[in-house]
């Protein structure tokens, strides 16, 4: 398993940098990872709103939320999400939220 | 002149058997002939240490090199023991006859090579010839399983000296074939080199427990554990369906209750659960059509009952049987009269055709494709349709599993001809179609640089076909629709169109068949197809 | 010499018939497999575009018309035509087809010789100037089949190694045995061609040979004809060691694999066989497969590790 250094700590990730140990996630991880993902500066309130939403949904249902539901519930449209997370909802936002890579025919 | 790759090169330690050169790939029409980014990422040194990349620099399986010579020996021995099982009636009655026939009777005449989109797209790289892996496989069998006399092996040219890396390359090579079986279609001797790819995968999985994570661990294993390879539990399903109902209400102006676990319904619709998350509009469209046509149907919330996928069809007979049985059990417990499969190619082939000789007795519940039912609904006039709402260029992609491999060719065409005034075929199409490039699990294999290979090599022929089909309006000013009635193919189109920037350059969008039907329904105030979700 | 070829010929024919039969029976005795059909399926009603019975709603309630004759003709056709080669590699086809026609015609020629000899023993006069129409017909039939066999066989055997060496793909996948075959078959056909052209233009010696075989009297023949006959007998003995059974197994593969779309209906004989096969024990060693269980037992289990 590859390891990734984020903010001075080492995390187990998959080959594409998705965190493998959900319980190790901290806000520092997300902030540290943001730099790697090319998001400049501190994560804003809007970033956190999406990250928290994704984490809450995951805690409840064990999967990432549907993108459309994410848009509807957070009030961000897809364009806005791409502005916040240039790699997009799955490869960007979910990654920072510490979720593993989506699987199945999605 | 191109360098020829001999089978012997698979046994060479270190190095790469083939270096892919994007300049050799078949040309796409402009502006796609000039790609801005390098088409295939190279792996990091660290990744190369952890995973074997000595076939072509691409990783689908990524076997970890053995730490000690003993480990290497044990690995090879276990593999060879598995190889023997492939030739036993008890362990492999399922594919013994077709496999034996191919191994015995292929004359390596190479006419299947040009039928293979991977081989042709790659600029005719020898390693991707449909005959290459069976030849490597045959030599291993001749030398180590049949243990033929050295002199006979000389005469037959079937001698090989095995090492761990040869097997690592064989495992990778088994995942460079999409199992589209175009090669088998042109074989006059009835051989099926694509099946050999599957059988190699099978030895690795059933004997060694080795398969791409996305297909096994996160795929069929996860499906058997929680109900779906997406990780969707029955509770998540419920939440998603509630959201889907809201969406339908917003679009249709009235609420439809999606039937779940309705006892004694006529039809159990088994849909691909990935659709619910990634393309909910497909499920919405099914719901709207079935409701409007007054069909008595239901979804199931049982394990495997709400996800039509059966990845075992690509690599593992036991996993296959497990899922097939659970899908039938879900139908049996609801007491439905039949199972209908939604727009998913491999689920069609797996659930309707292949499961046919796995489920028996009262588990053998009639199973069919949803396409003939949709055709019946569209043709009957039970729902009011206005084709002018679909007045944009539409082409149809034929999912291999549904078309070449089970003969459902015309229902989808008759629907499109009725509701899409600008429908046009690709060349070739129908049972001679080309694979989308994402077949046999490729579309869901999302790790390392495999997606780059899939988009630039295995899908290239399809990309070319799509662009050619729209050559009368190539620019971005005309919106165009690739109809792909299969979740797996749609996943591939999504990735591939994005990879080539086809929305920005040509406004090419993709989606299923039912979306076009609902888009033509006069009941809807707004267009159902939302191009902005490209 | 005459006795030798009588004995050798009988051995050769018995050998090839027995080994071919064993191979084909072994092929057919393999258990039914999982369906792996590939369209177009020629016995289907909509075979022209590759449609199947799955195109209709509730297909199990509908008739499934099958045209077996069409399938048989379709599969046999390519023994004489090889259309895919014509379309995809014409140079190869140009030699491959004559090479194969050589096989078909030389065997047909010998079988016809047997019938001709039998007719001769019964009193028919086989010659160009025969007073009997059947005798005349037989004469020309033999001349045509024999002539075609020798000419196409020799032509094909000479061209095949050339095209195999010239084509990058074919060359890479060649084995030493391929070239041996071409050489051996060239000698077989070539000796026949020489004997025919220079010594026996009416092919009369073959009739004498076959009359000798039927009456068990060693025939008196020209040494070159004898050479050809000995080579041909060796050819018959050698064939079962090559992939030549594919003349027959390719048709079996079409019928029993590619076009096998027989549904497993409840209570059918097929269902009974499948249920039997599913009871067999499997020995695969993957962690997700239980040890020493049958297919059915393994499939009922989920294969997941026990909860920790």
């Amino acid at each position: 398993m590859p390891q990734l250094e984020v903010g001075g700590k080492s995390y187990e990730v998959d080959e594409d940098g998705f965190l493998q140990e959900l319980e190790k996630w901290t806000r520092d991880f997300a902030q540290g990872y943001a730099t790697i993902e090319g998001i400049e500066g501190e994560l804003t309130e809007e970033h956190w709103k999406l990250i928290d939403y994704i984490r809450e949904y995951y805690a409840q249902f064990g999967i990432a939320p549907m993108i459309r539901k994410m848009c509807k519930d957070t009030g961000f449209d897809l364009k806005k999400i791409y502005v916040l997370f240039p790699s997009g909802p799955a490869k960007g936002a979910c990654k920072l939220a510490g979720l593993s890579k989506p699987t199945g025919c999605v | 002149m191109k360098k020829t790759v001999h089978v012997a090169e698979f046994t060479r330690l270190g190095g790469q058997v083939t270096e892919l050169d994007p300049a050799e790939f078949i040309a796409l029409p402009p502006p796609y002939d000039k790609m801005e980014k390098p088409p295939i990422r190279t792996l990091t040194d660290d990744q190369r240490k952890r995973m074997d990349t000595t076939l072509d620099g691409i990783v689908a399986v990524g076997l970890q090199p053995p730490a000690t010579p003993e480990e290497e020996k044990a690995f090879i021995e276990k593999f060879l023991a598995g190889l023997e099982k492939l030739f036993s009636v008890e362990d492999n009655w399922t594919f013994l006859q077709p496999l034996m026939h191919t191994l015995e009777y292929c004359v390596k005449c190479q006419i299947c090579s040009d039928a293979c989109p991977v081989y042709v797209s790659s600029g005719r790289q020898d390693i991707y010839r449909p005959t290459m892996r069976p030849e490597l496989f045959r030599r291993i069998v001749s030398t180590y399983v049949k243990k033929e006399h050295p002199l006979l092996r000389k005469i037959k040219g079937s001698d090989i000296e095995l090492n761990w890396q040869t097997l690592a390359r064989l495992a990778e090579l088994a995942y460079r074939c999409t199992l589209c079986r175009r090669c088998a279609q042109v074989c006059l001797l009835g051989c099926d080199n694509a099946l050999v790819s599957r059988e190699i995968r099978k030895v690795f999985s059933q004997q060694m427990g080795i398969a791409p994570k996305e297909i096994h661990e996160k795929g069929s294993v996860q499906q058997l554990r929680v109900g779906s390879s997406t990780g969707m539990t029955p509770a998540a399903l419920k939440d998603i369906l509630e959201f889907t109902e809201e969406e339908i209400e917003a679009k249709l102006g009235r609420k439809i209750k999606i039937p779940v676990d309705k006892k004694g319904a006529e039809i159990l619709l088994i849909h691909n659960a990935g659709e619910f998350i990634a393309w909910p509009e497909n499920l919405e469209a099914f719901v709207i059509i079935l409701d409007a046509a007054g069909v008595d149907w239901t979804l199931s919330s049982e394990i495997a009952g709400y996800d039509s996928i059966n990845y075992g069809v690509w690599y593992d007979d036991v996993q296959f049987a497990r899922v097939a049985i659970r899908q039938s059990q879900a139908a049996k417990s609801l007491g439905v009269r039949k199972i209908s499969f939604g727009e998913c190619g491999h689920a069609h082939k797996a659930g309707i055709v292949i499961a046919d000789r796995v489920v028996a007795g009262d588990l053998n519940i009639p199973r069919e494709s949803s396409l003939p039912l949709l055709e019946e609904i569209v043709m009957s006039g039970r729902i009011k349709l206005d084709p002018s709402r679909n007045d944009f260029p539409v082409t149809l992609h034929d999912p291999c599993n549904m078309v070449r491999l089970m003969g459902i060719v015309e229902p989808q065409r008759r629907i499109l001809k009725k509701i899409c005034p600008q429908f046009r075929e690709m060349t070739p199409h129908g049972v001679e179609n080309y694979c989308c490039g994402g077949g046999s699990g490729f579309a869901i294999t999302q790790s390392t640089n495999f997606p780059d290979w899939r988009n630039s090599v295995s899908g290239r022929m399809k990309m070319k076909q799509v662009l050619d089909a729209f050559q009368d309006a190539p620019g971005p000013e005309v919106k165009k629709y690739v109809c792909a009635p299969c979740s797996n193919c749609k996943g591939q189109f999504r990735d591939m169109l994005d990879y080539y920037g086809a929305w920005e350059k040509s406004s090419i969008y993709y989606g299923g068949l039912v979306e076009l039907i609902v888009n033509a329904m006069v009941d809807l105030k707004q267009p159902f197809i939302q191009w902005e979700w490209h | 010499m005459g006795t030798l070829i009588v004995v050798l010929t009988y051995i050769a024919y018995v050998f090839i018939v027995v080994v071919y039969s064993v191979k084909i029976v072994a092929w057919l005795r393999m258990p039914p497999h999982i369906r792996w059909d590939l369209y177009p399926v020629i016995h289907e009603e909509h075979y022209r575009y590759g449609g199947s019975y799955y195109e209709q709603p509730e297909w199990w309630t509908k008739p499934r018309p099958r045209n077996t004759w069409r399938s048989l003709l379709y599969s046999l056709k390519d023994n004489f035509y090889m259309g895919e080669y014509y379309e995809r590699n014409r140079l190869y086809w140009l030699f491959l087809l004559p090479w194969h026609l050589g096989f078909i015609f030389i065997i047909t020629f010998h079988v016809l010789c047997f019938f001709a000899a039998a007719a001769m023993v019964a009193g028919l006069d086989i010659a160009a100037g025969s007073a009997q129409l059947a005798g005349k017909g037989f004469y020309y039939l033999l001349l045509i089949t024999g002539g075609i066999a020798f000419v196409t066989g020799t032509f094909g055997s000479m061209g095949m190694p050339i095209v195999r060496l010239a084509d990058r793909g074919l060359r890479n996948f060649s084995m030493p045995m391929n070239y041996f075959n071409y050489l051996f078959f060239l000698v077989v056909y070539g000796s026949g061609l020489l004997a025919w052209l220079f010594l026996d233009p009416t092919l009369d010696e073959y009739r004498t040979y076959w009359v000798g075989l039927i009456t068990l009297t060693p025939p008196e023949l020209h040494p070159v004809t004898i050479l050809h006959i000995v080579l041909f007998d060796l050819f018959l003995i050698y064939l079962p060691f090559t992939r030549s059974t594919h003349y027959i197994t390719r048709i079996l593969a079409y019928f029993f694999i590619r076009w096998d779309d027989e549904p497993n209906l409840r209570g059918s004989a097929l269902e009974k066989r499948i249920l039997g096969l599913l009871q067999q024990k499997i020995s695969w060693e993957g962690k997700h497969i239980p040890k020493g269980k049958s297919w059915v037992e393994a499939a009922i289990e989920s294969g997941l590790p026990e909860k920790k």
Side-chain angles (χ1 to χ4, degrees):
Chain A
M1 266 297 166
Q3 301 285 320
L4 190 76
E5 288 280 323
V6 178
K9 270 192 209 154
S10 185
Y11 297 89
E12 204 166 277
V13 294
D14 74 358
E15 294 298 338
D16 304 287
F18 283 87
L19 185 66
Q20 294 300 288
E21 310 154 294
L22 187 68
E23 66 285 355
K24 282 205 180 160
W25 183 89
T26 57
R27 293 179 94 80
D28 287 343
F29 172 86
Q31 181 61 61
Y33 213 132
T35 329
I36 302 172
E37 277 296 301
I39 301 166
E40 282 174 32
E42 294 277 304
L43 290 174
T44 63
E45 208 171 296
E46 286 180 325
H47 287 113
W48 287 117
K49 183 176 171 188
L50 199 59
I51 290 174
D52 288 340
Y53 172 79
I54 291 170
R55 287 191 60 84
E56 271 164 35
Y57 192 90
Y58 188 87
Q60 196 178 352
F61 294 110
I63 51 169
M66 300 154 80
I67 297 171
R68 285 173 192 235
K69 191 170 162 72
M70 196 190 293
C71 291
K72 200 172 174 185
D73 291 352
T74 59
F76 299 145
D77 63 13
L78 196 58
K79 266 204 191 107
K80 175 80 185 170
I81 294 179
Y82 271 94
V83 170
L84 293 171
F85 299 92
S87 308
K91 286 178 190 153
C94 287
K95 209 181 209 178
L96 262 63
L99 271 52
S100 54
K101 195 163 39 192
T103 55
C105 300
V106 297
Chain B
M1 203 165 151
K2 194 182 291 298
K3 188 180 154 280
T4 301
V5 175
H6 304 281
V7 174
E9 282 161 60
F10 283 83
T11 61
R12 195 186 58 210
L13 289 173
Q16 241 170 255
V17 180
T18 284
E19 300 276 347
L20 293 176
D21 179 5
E24 288 181 346
F25 298 169
I26 54 157
L28 294 174
Y32 298 88
D33 48 347
K34 305 237 179 325
M35 283 285 293
E36 299 85 4
K37 52 182 171 180
I40 298 176
R41 272 170 289 171
T42 25
L43 298 183
T44 62
D45 288 343
D46 176 48
Q47 284 176 317
R48 285 167 176 273
K49 252 179 246 151
R50 268 185 287 108
M51 303 182 285
D52 191 84
T53 60
T54 61
L55 176 69
D56 51 4
I58 313 295
V59 164
V61 183
L63 274 183
Q64 193 174 358
T68 62
E70 292 74 42
E71 230 182 272
E72 173 172 3
K73 193 164 168 266
F75 184 95
I76 294 175
E77 274 169 13
K78 193 171 179 191
F79 178 83
L80 291 174
L83 214 49
E84 239 165 277
K85 294 177 188 158
L86 220 44
F87 298 97
S88 106
V89 172
E90 291 77 24
D91 280 312
N92 198 28
W93 66 272
T94 47
F95 284 98
L96 186 67
Q97 193 172 53
L99 176 67
M100 291 286 273
H101 180 79
T102 301
L103 293 178
E104 296 266 317
Y105 290 105
C106 168
V107 295
K108 298 168 252 174
C109 71
Q110 305 305 320
I111 59 160
C112 56
S113 291
D114 278 349
C116 172
V118 175
Y119 170 69
V120 174
S121 299
S122 69
R124 298 190 156 74
Q125 301 296 336
D126 279 331
I127 58 162
Y128 300 142
R129 283 181 188 270
T131 47
M132 188 55 100
R133 41 186 103 62
E135 184 55 19
L136 179 55
F137 181 81
R138 208 177 274 117
R139 290 189 190 187
I140 299 172
V141 171
S142 163
T143 309
Y144 292 95
V145 178
K146 290 195 199 161
K147 300 192 173 69
E148 289 176 327
H149 192 276
L151 190 66
L152 182 61
R153 300 206 298 261
K154 272 255 149 31
I155 295 168
K156 288 168 66 181
S158 64
D159 208 31
I160 197 164
E161 205 165 327
L162 208 52
N163 56 50
W164 176 82
Q165 206 150 44
T166 313
L167 293 181
R169 288 167 177 150
L170 181 68
E172 282 296 336
L173 195 57
Y175 287 91
R176 297 294 183 279
C177 160
T178 69
L179 306 185
C180 82
R181 296 178 68 209
R182 255 185 138 248
C183 55
Q185 204 176 28
V186 302
C187 182
L188 284 176
L189 298 176
C191 297
D192 190 338
N193 285 321
L195 174 68
V196 179
S197 304
R198 186 189 181 275
E199 297 301 282
I200 296 170
R201 295 176 181 193
K202 188 158 95 184
V203 178
F204 276 105
S205 178
Q206 292 182 183
Q207 176 75 4
M208 318 288 289
I210 293 167
K213 259 202 181 118
E214 292 90 338
I215 294 176
H216 185 65
E217 189 188 323
K218 304 276 185 186
S220 64
V221 171
Q222 174 147 261
Q223 184 183 20
L224 290 166
R225 189 170 58 231
V226 303
S228 161
S229 61
T230 56
M232 187 192 297
T233 57
L237 171 74
K238 197 163 160 267
D239 181 69
I240 287 168
L241 294 181
E242 275 167 20
F243 178 75
T244 306
E245 285 172 357
E246 288 168 25
E247 290 278 288
I248 292 172
E249 192 175 3
K251 289 174 187 172
L252 193 64
R254 66 186 172 88
K255 195 170 171 67
I256 301 174
K257 178 86 195 123
I258 300 176
V260 180
D261 296 331
K262 183 179 163 194
K263 291 259 178 202
E266 175 92 356
I267 300 173
L268 166 64
L269 179 70
I270 309 191
H271 213 289
N272 184 315
E275 295 262 353
F276 301 172
I277 301 174
W279 303 283
E281 60 279 11
N282 188 272
L283 173 65
E284 290 164 20
F286 261 98
V287 173
I288 293 170
I289 294 169
L290 295 179
D291 179 75
V295 175
D296 177 21
W297 70 289
T298 183
L299 293 176
S300 161
S301 70
E302 266 190 56
I303 292 271
Y306 56 91
D307 198 347
S308 65
I309 63 137
N310 192 344
Y311 294 168
V313 69
W314 302 321
Y315 79 105
D316 191 305
D317 293 346
V318 177
Q319 291 294 85
F320 174 84
R322 286 172 173 160
V323 172
I325 284 180
R326 278 154 185 79
Q327 287 171 342
S328 279
Q329 277 167 339
K332 192 182 148 194
S333 69
L334 288 176
V336 297
R337 208 164 62 79
K338 61 181 179 185
I339 302 173
S340 187
F341 284 88
E343 294 185 12
C344 176
H346 91 275
H348 262 70
K349 173 78 181 173
I352 301 170
V353 186
I354 298 191
D356 197 41
R357 291 184 188 170
V358 174
V359 293
D362 59 355
L363 279 182
N364 193 355
I365 292 157
R367 303 170 308 275
E368 66 175 357
S369 163
S370 55
L371 298 188
L373 174 68
L374 290 169
E375 183 192 2
E376 199 178 54
I377 293 170
V378 167
M379 297 300 162
S380 70
R382 267 189 279 174
I383 50 178
K384 279 209 175 58
L385 299 167
D386 173 10
S388 71
R389 293 178 173 223
N390 284 335
D391 197 10
F392 41 80
V394 173
T395 191
L396 174 66
H397 165 66
D398 287 304
C400 302
N401 280 300
M402 219 178 251
V403 182
R404 176 169 32 258
L405 307 186
M406 67 183 291
I408 301 179
V409 186
E410 281 296 318
Q412 60 272 45
R413 294 189 151 70
R414 288 192 284 258
I415 293 172
L416 288 179
K417 282 172 192 161
K418 191 177 162 89
I419 62 171
C420 298
Q422 295 194 50
F423 170 64
R424 76 276 312 278
E425 291 280 14
M426 293 187 207
T427 314
H429 59 264
V431 291
E432 289 176 11
N433 78 314
Y434 279 112
C435 170
C436 62
S440 80
F442 287 7
I444 59 161
T445 307
Q446 292 289 10
S447 97
T448 65
N449 60 358
F450 190 80
D452 293 343
W453 181 85
R454 158 160 64 75
N455 291 327
S456 60
V457 178
S458 66
R460 196 175 195 87
M461 190 65 85
K462 182 53 61 172
M463 188 65 199
K464 183 173 177 329
Q465 275 195 296
V466 169
L467 295 173
D468 287 345
F470 293 132
Q471 61 184 350
D472 58 332
E477 55 295 337
V478 180
K479 287 180 183 136
K480 298 167 277 274
Y481 191 98
V482 181
C483 171
C486 166
S487 320
N488 192 79
C489 303
K490 276 193 294 197
Q492 166 70 358
F493 276 115
R494 176 189 54 202
D495 284 11
M496 189 160 66
L497 295 175
D498 179 51
Y499 183 81
Y500 290 101
W503 175 256
E504 292 74 20
K505 295 187 184 103
S506 321
S507 293
I508 298 174
Y509 183 72
Y510 70 97
L513 176 66
V514 283
E515 292 92 319
L516 285 167
I517 299 175
V518 175
N519 200 50
M521 279 173 73
V522 295
D523 281 359
L524 273 83
K525 308 269 177 301
Q526 299 289 322
F528 184 74
I529 292 173
Q530 296 174 326
W531 302 88
E532 62 274 18
W533 283 92
H534 60 80
Chain C
M1 211 56 185
T3 317
L4 173 80
I5 58 168
V6 170
V7 175
L8 188 63
T9 303
Y10 275 108
I11 292 175
Y13 275 95
V14 170
F15 185 78
I16 191 170
V17 169
V18 169
V19 181
Y20 265 30
S21 307
V22 168
K23 280 185 139 182
I24 287 158
V25 169
W27 198 104
L28 287 168
R29 282 176 61 102
M30 280 188 274
H33 48 85
I34 293 290
R35 272 180 60 185
W36 201 240
D37 14 345
L38 185 61
Y39 291 78
V41 168
I42 303 301
H43 65 242
E44 280 278 358
E45 191 180 358
H46 299 296
Y47 73 101
R48 279 177 204 284
Y49 66 78
S52 71
Y53 55 77
Y54 291 122
E55 288 193 323
Q56 357 170 38
E58 311 224 326
W59 57 268
W60 56 92
T61 62
K62 313 275 164 65
R64 285 177 284 112
R66 275 177 90 95
N67 191 327
T68 309
W69 280 109
R70 190 201 295 134
S71 317
L72 200 61
L73 281 178
Y74 178 95
S75 57
L76 278 171
K77 183 190 72 191
D78 271 320
N79 279 349
F80 299 94
Y81 166 53
M82 307 185 165
E84 290 290 347
Y85 290 100
Y86 179 78
E87 299 293 332
R88 291 167 189 278
N89 191 345
R90 202 154 298 173
L91 183 70
Y92 187 44
W93 174 84
L94 193 67
F95 297 108
L96 190 71
L97 183 64
W99 195 54
H100 280 81
L101 291 178
F103 284 91
I104 295 171
F105 277 92
I106 201 162
I107 295 199
T108 313
F109 170 67
H110 276 268
V111 172
L112 284 174
C113 280
F114 163 77
F115 285 109
M120 281 165 77
V121 172
L124 187 73
D125 172 32
I126 297 179
S130 172
Q132 293 147 302
L133 193 63
K136 237 185 181 143
F138 246 130
Y139 173 80
Y140 283 108
L141 193 59
L142 289 173
L143 201 59
I144 290 166
T145 48
I148 292 177
F150 297 138
V151 171
T152 56
T154 308
F155 177 75
S157 304
M158 288 198 303
M160 285 296 282
I162 298 170
V163 72
R164 186 170 275 280
L165 285 167
D167 185 304
R168 191 173 72 94
L170 284 169
R171 189 174 60 237
N172 191 18
F173 284 87
S174 297
M175 49 186 182
M177 195 174 164
N178 291 123
Y179 297 104
F180 171 76
N181 290 354
Y182 299 141
L183 187 68
F184 178 36
F185 298 166
L186 178 64
V187 175
V188 174
Y189 293 115
S191 61
L193 186 66
L194 287 179
W196 174 48
L197 288 181
F198 298 112
L199 302 165
D200 183 21
T202 62
L203 295 176
D204 188 46
E205 292 232 296
Y206 292 94
R207 291 189 285 276
T208 314
Y209 157 57
W210 273 95
V211 169
L213 282 176
I214 290 174
T215 57
L216 295 177
T217 35
E220 297 267 337
L221 301 168
H222 190 281
V224 179
T225 311
I226 291 181
L227 176 71
H228 171 67
I229 288 169
V230 170
L231 285 169
F232 179 72
D233 287 341
L234 295 176
F235 169 78
L236 291 180
I237 293 169
Y238 178 63
L239 276 185
F241 296 104
T242 68
R243 296 201 198 86
S244 60
T245 341
H246 71 233
Y247 278 99
I248 298 153
T249 53
R250 61 175 286 272
I251 295 169
L252 300 180
Y254 277 24
F255 276 82
F256 294 101
I257 301 172
R258 195 186 286 190
W259 300 338
D260 176 12
D261 62 351
E262 189 60 30
N264 176 19
L265 301 173
R266 277 197 217 178
S268 64
L270 179 64
E271 185 184 58
K272 223 170 159 185
R273 282 211 68 182
I274 303 282
L275 283 171
L277 291 166
L278 287 167
Q279 296 302 330
Q280 301 180 108
K281 287 210 178 350
I282 47 175
S283 67
W284 295 99
E285 295 168 50
K287 278 199 189 76
H288 60 293
I289 300 174
K291 289 204 169 39
K293 300 247 172 108
S294 70
W295 282 92
V296 171
E297 291 161 332
I300 288 169
E301 287 185 16
S302 66
L304 298 171
E306 298 288 317
K307 283 232 165 73
K308 285 171 211 158

